[in-house]
Amino acid sequence: NANFPTLGEKYASYGEEEKEDDKVDLAENSLLNKLIRKSLVESSHHVEVLQRDPSSPLFSVKTFEELRLKKELLQGIYAMGFNRPSKIQETALPMMLADPPQNLIAQSQSGTGKTAAFVLAMLSRVNGAEKFPQCLCLAPTYELAVQTGQVVEKMGKLCVNIRVTYAVRGNRIPRGTKIEEQIIIGTPGTVLDWCFKLRLLDVKKISVFVLDEADVMIDTQGFLDQSVRIQRALSQDCQMLLFSATFEDAVLRFAEQIIPDPNIIKLRREEMTLTNIRQYYFLCENKQDKYKALCNIYGSITVGQAIIFCQTRRNAKWLSLELTQDGHKVSVLSGELTVEQRAAVIQRFRDGKEKVLITTNVCARGIDVKQVTIVVNFKLPTNQLRCPDFETYLHRIGRTGRFGKKGLAFNMVERHNLPLLQSIEEHFKTKIKQLDPDDMDEIE
Ligand code: ADP
């Protein structure tokens, strides 16, 4: 129907404030994850291995010593506080360090030790005495490239002759310069320029090629083709490694297109579950009603820390004002903050400086909810077609089975949205119980 505005037109007529923060930027999210990560993410699953040559023995290591690394590299690893290889590293490291080199595609969720693994592989293969690029690592953004570079600097801090440079927009190097740094980390477009337009390095001399964050790469216009062009120019015996946090079909197809004869390893993520979550809803007419229900929750149970999800920035701001006026210490996460600012807000919340975190969709992932006692959906999550967004619902209130502490979830639902609630119940085969804001004794 020609009279309906398109989604774009609809947004254009909104101010920034009414914008729904629901387009999650994968690269930003990945950076946020890195900035707020303090330790390894565990998984109770086994590493799945698909070997290029199934008859060759499969090694896995329980210690870093078994890898027979250069002394200064081993010391660098211990100086970072790593005691033993992470689960994915146990299998990935021996494969990556084998001679002759093997190609590898590895998938595991962020925080499981992929970056540390390929940085170790690069540092271990590089010859510090030779002054030309030997390792090339592609990353989706400048910021992510820098994060990886910092790991190289840290782990390699005792490898005195080894140096890193960044092939990113803004790092202008005159044509004709010969790069001496052995490790180059960069975004595909600039790397392409450095290799073929400016001829700052000889691609044929690269012995380790890493494509990091493949799922973010293919989400970015042009990066897939550019990566393929770089890869095609590599020498036959260059080792090729690809990493991804997720493994949808498109990522796997890209991975298999770009990495010849790979070993493939996967570590499944810990599944989220609603099993230990008691879920409730309040029937509300408007946001004042919702606010009243929220106050009743605070009036009737002891809340440690809470996360409240709003749909728009305006609602998030409004709610934070109301709560602040009522004496709560509140912080707000929304799309207009830079990734660094978001990381700082999350850190303060983790440190308990604020007891309430109000957030829009953009920032929902990546927040560690272990210490949070209640989660409130000020509005049920829906996708752009206004259908229930089950995955987001699960991520907001679910817990991983393994760390499954009990939790409480409250949904504020307008009458016309009751069908959404029903489909969520049906989808998860779960019960969401109605609460009367004036009689909260029903919370068990
Ligand atoms: P990924 O690349 O999968 O997101 P990282 O390599 O960045 O994971 O590792 C996640 C966090 O765990 C980082 O803080 C990193 O320093 C740390 N880490 C990585 N490997 C180990 C290890 N073997 N032991 C202890 N900590 C580790």
Side-chain angles (χ1 to χ4, degrees), residues 39 120 171 177 179 182 227 251 258 283 286 306 311 349 410:
S39 57
L120 177 64
N171 187 6
T177 313
I179 292 179
Q182 297 91 348
S227 304
V251 182
I258 203 165
L283 195 57
N286 50 37
Q311 195 87 347
F349 183 66
F410 298 93

Side-chain angles (χ1 to χ4, degrees), residues 229-443:
R229 279 168 65 198
I230 297 163
Q231 185 270 350
R232 288 213 179 117
L234 297 165
S235 87
Q236 283 285 320
D237 49 10
C238 176
Q239 180 176 30
M240 300 179 195
L241 310 169
L242 178 142
F243 299 85
S244 182
T246 60
F247 234 171
E248 275 108 52
D249 286 349
V251 182
L252 189 59
R253 273 201 306 277
F254 169 58
E256 288 183 324
Q257 176 190 355
I258 203 165
I259 310 290
D261 302 325
N263 292 319
I264 302 178
I265 64 179
K266 288 196 237 184
L267 178 59
R268 267 195 290 152
R269 68 162 60 231
E270 206 66 47
E271 275 95 27
M272 292 278 207
T273 153
L274 296 177
T275 313
N276 280 319
I277 316 294
R278 276 174 290 152
Q279 302 163 77
Y280 299 100
Y281 78 94
F282 293 101
L283 195 57
C284 305
E285 293 305 320
N286 50 37
K287 64 181 180 187
Q288 277 73 22
D289 265 9
K290 294 182 176 189
Y291 187 68
K292 185 173 157 229
L294 185 62
C295 293
N296 284 332
I297 298 174
Y298 272 92
S300 49
I301 59 171
T302 313
V303 179
Q305 280 187 300
I307 298 187
I308 306 173
F309 290 93
C310 290
Q311 195 87 347
T312 64
R313 293 180 196 176
R314 181 195 292 273
N315 273 346
K317 277 201 189 116
W318 171 82
L319 184 58
S320 97
L321 274 175
E322 295 288 317
L323 280 166
T324 307
Q325 276 166 8
D326 282 346
H328 293 279
K329 284 199 135 195
V330 179
S331 55
V332 183
L333 263 185
S334 62
E336 79 266 28
L337 300 183
T338 65
V339 176
E340 286 77 11
Q341 288 169 329
R342 290 181 214 171
V345 169
I346 292 171
Q347 192 53 51
R348 288 180 55 86
F349 183 66
R350 280 187 177 171
D351 293 343
K353 297 208 170 81
E354 282 93 17
K355 296 274 183 267
V356 186
L357 182 70
I358 301 174
T359 177
T360 53
N361 251 352
V362 159
C363 314
R365 303 285 167 87
I367 301 172
D368 205 335
V369 289
K370 263 176 259 173
Q371 58 189 350
V372 172
T373 40
I374 74 163
V375 177
V376 178
N377 284 320
F378 225 63
K379 186 161 183 303
L380 287 174
T382 47
N383 61 23
Q384 300 206 327
L385 300 169
R386 303 278 172 253
C387 299
D389 182 345
F390 301 120
E391 204 193 330
T392 300
Y393 185 82
L394 182 63
H395 270 98
R396 286 180 180 181
I397 74 172
R399 307 278 162 110
T400 60
R402 208 150 159 242
F403 304 107
K405 271 197 263 166
K406 288 214 162 93
L408 287 171
F410 298 93
N411 297 290
M412 313 298 191
V413 188
E414 303 84 354
R415 190 170 300 279
H416 67 269
N417 278 335
L418 281 175
L420 291 178
L421 193 84
Q422 267 164 10
S423 34
I424 290 175
E425 285 187 306
E426 279 160 22
H427 181 89
F428 291 110
K429 301 188 174 49
T430 181
K431 181 87 195 110
I432 308 179
K433 210 168 154 189
Q434 183 171 8
L435 282 177
D436 176 358
D438 297 317
D439 174 20
M440 300 282 287
D441 291 344
E442 292 183 44
I443 305 184

Side-chain angles (χ1 to χ4, degrees), residues 34 37-41 64 77 80-86 88-89 108-118 151 154 212:
K34 287 185 196 240
R37 173 128 298 130
K38 289 284 175 290
S39 57
L40 275 172
V41 169
F64 288 113
I77 293 167
M80 289 177 83
F82 298 1
N83 297 320
R84 66 189 70 80
S86 71
I88 190 104
Q89 290 164 359
S108 63
Q109 79 185 89
S110 99
T112 47
K114 299 185 296 298
T115 307
F118 72 71
V151 180
K154 249 182 162 172
D212 194 17

